[in-house]
Amino acid sequence: MAASFSCFLRGSVALPALLAAGLALSGCAGMSETVAPAFADPGKYELYDCKQLEAERKALAARTADLQRLMDKAETGVGGAVVSELAYRNEYVAVRGQSQLVEDAWRRNRCRETPPNAAPTASAPQPPAIKPAPRSGSAVR
């Protein structure tokens, strides 16, 4: 009888613990995107020009898509929601925060996207301006 009571006690303690853990993890899944900038350096993109910001925007968009795809794939398996949260959520939130900061810098600098078919404008190299050396003293006869 003591053995069955201890199994009942263990089961009754384990179930609330599992429910509490599930609730805690589900709270992370509903985390607001406004928290994302807290995980990024706000001054990182202050000195970037439009060309650098455009490259950074593309890289962050690609990384965000990769992380979202990995999280979706992880959630298809058994216990996938937990794996997704533990493995990818922190980086996903950090990348989203960086993306928001890049977008803010993009708007602040009034940048425009480069058209996809536009060739970069490269000016022809200019020859250096070489001046003749000044003549020293008077001419010898």
Side-chain angles (χ1 to χ4, degrees):
M1 174 140 172
S4 65
F5 180 71
S6 76
C7 286
F8 173 75
L9 186 59
R10 231 181 298 149
S12 64
V13 171
L15 183 62
L18 286 174
L19 287 174
L23 288 174
L25 287 176
S26 68
C28 293
M31 188 182 332
S32 171
E33 294 298 325
T34 59
V35 175
F39 294 103
D41 180 14
K44 182 175 182 178
Y45 303 109
E46 289 296 317
L47 301 177
Y48 278 39
D49 63 9
C50 289
K51 187 175 181 181
Q52 292 170 318
L53 287 171
E54 185 173 17
E56 191 71 13
R57 286 174 76 211
K58 289 178 182 177
L60 289 172
R63 185 62 186 150
T64 301
D66 287 343
L67 287 169
Q68 186 63 52
R69 194 171 44 255
L70 288 168
M71 288 168 50
D72 291 344
K73 184 177 178 182
E75 288 178 3
T76 61
V78 175
V82 174
V83 171
S84 174
E85 289 294 320
L86 293 176
Y88 304 115
R89 178 60 70 175
N90 288 341
E91 186 178 358
Y92 179 78
V93 169
V95 169
R96 291 283 304 194
Q98 288 179 346
S99 295
Q100 288 179 2
L101 292 173
V102 166
E103 291 300 322
D104 291 344
W106 181 265
R107 283 189 298 276
R108 218 178 15 257
N109 292 346
R110 296 186 178 105
C111 297
R112 295 194 178 152
E113 290 202 28
T114 306
N117 56 359
T121 57
S123 61
Q126 301 294 324
I130 300 174
K131 297 179 182 178
R135 295 184 184 219
S136 62
S138 62
V140 177
R141 292 188 193 204

